[in-house]
Amino acid sequence: MQIIHDFIIPNEYSRPGKKLREVRAVVIHWTANPNANAKDNRDFFENRRTGLSGYGSAHYIIDQNGIIVAAIPENEIAYHTGTDKKDPASGKVYTDYARAKFGRYASESSSPNYCTIGVELCPLDDAGTFSAATLYAAVELCADICARYQLTAQDITTHNAVVGWKDCPRLWVKKPELLEAFRADVKNKLTRK
């Protein structure tokens, strides 16, 4: 597992410097930009410091070639799961799953950003297909995070599962069995550790 630490400069919009309070889950995202690699996406988060493109960041971004860029230190929050939009199914801010899983962190006055680690995956295409190298690195990284924070593979979730309205990661939202296969791979990796 190759991780390049290239932390975003502290700023209000993508690296607020607020402390992560605990780790209850790993949230998987897709960058939705098949033409950009992990460094490009890290730089996009860096450029949010102006505030012109809103809030947003993730702790890790995994390239199509499997290289991992660490953009936010794990002991700080990243802006990857916050929302003020309502979940279409529950009609509330955050899904029923998120409110049960994250409790006080999934409310109109707080955010799962305070208790989750965000991992962005760079896709190969607009459908959201990931390369074998991206998935392999993601399994390695997620197993490592789970082992360090006493999480299980079931504590790996998606952005969509947290907010309900976003197709992130797109292909896994359309084919939830891909998330289950990913969790199984992480579980196998954890069993071997």
Side-chain angles (χ1 to χ4, degrees):
M1 179 169 60
Q2 182 181 355
I3 300 177
I4 297 168
H5 291 86
D6 190 6
F7 296 136
I8 294 166
I9 296 167
N11 70 85
E12 178 183 350
Y13 297 96
S14 58
R15 186 181 172 195
K18 297 175 183 176
K19 293 301 174 194
L20 199 67
R21 295 182 184 152
E22 59 182 302
V23 178
R24 292 189 181 184
V26 178
V27 180
I28 304 292
H29 306 261
W30 76 311
T31 62
N33 186 354
N35 299 315
N37 62 28
K39 172 74 168 131
D40 295 333
N41 283 288
R42 178 257 175 233
D43 292 348
F44 173 77
F45 291 145
E46 175 80 54
N47 290 332
R48 285 195 153 182
R49 72 182 177 273
T50 64
L52 297 176
S53 60
Y55 295 86
S57 57
H59 293 92
Y60 296 100
I61 307 142
I62 305 180
D63 207 302
Q64 294 91 339
N65 66 9
I67 293 173
I68 302 166
V69 173
I72 303 285
E74 278 185 14
N75 65 345
E76 296 179 21
I77 70 164
Y79 285 143
H80 65 102
T81 61
T83 188
D84 57 2
K85 292 184 182 178
K86 304 250 176 169
D87 164 43
S90 70
K92 298 180 180 178
V93 175
Y94 298 108
T95 62
D96 291 341
Y97 160 83
R99 284 181 281 104
K101 175 86 175 156
F102 306 123
R104 63 189 166 98
Y105 298 114
S107 68
E108 291 185 22
S109 62
S110 190
S111 161
N113 289 331
Y114 284 98
C115 66
T116 58
I117 292 176
V119 177
E120 290 269 3
L121 307 182
C122 296
L124 295 171
D125 55 33
D126 288 328
T129 308
F130 301 119
S131 72
T134 299
L135 290 171
Y136 181 82
V139 167
E140 293 276 316
L141 177 64
C142 288
D144 178 65
I145 293 168
C146 286
R148 287 186 287 112
Y149 292 99
Q150 291 82 50
L151 302 176
T152 71
Q154 287 306 120
D155 294 314
I156 298 167
T157 190
T158 64
H159 193 181
N160 174 266
V162 175
V163 298
W165 54 266
K166 192 161 190 168
D167 68 340
C168 179
R170 176 173 286 166
L171 191 60
W172 291 13
V173 171
K174 292 180 179 177
K175 297 183 176 184
E177 65 272 15
L178 295 176
L179 171 61
E180 292 310 316
F182 181 81
R183 285 174 171 160
D185 289 344
V186 172
K187 183 178 180 181
N188 288 339
K189 178 66 76 176
L190 284 167
T191 302
R192 291 193 302 265
K193 277 191 177 241

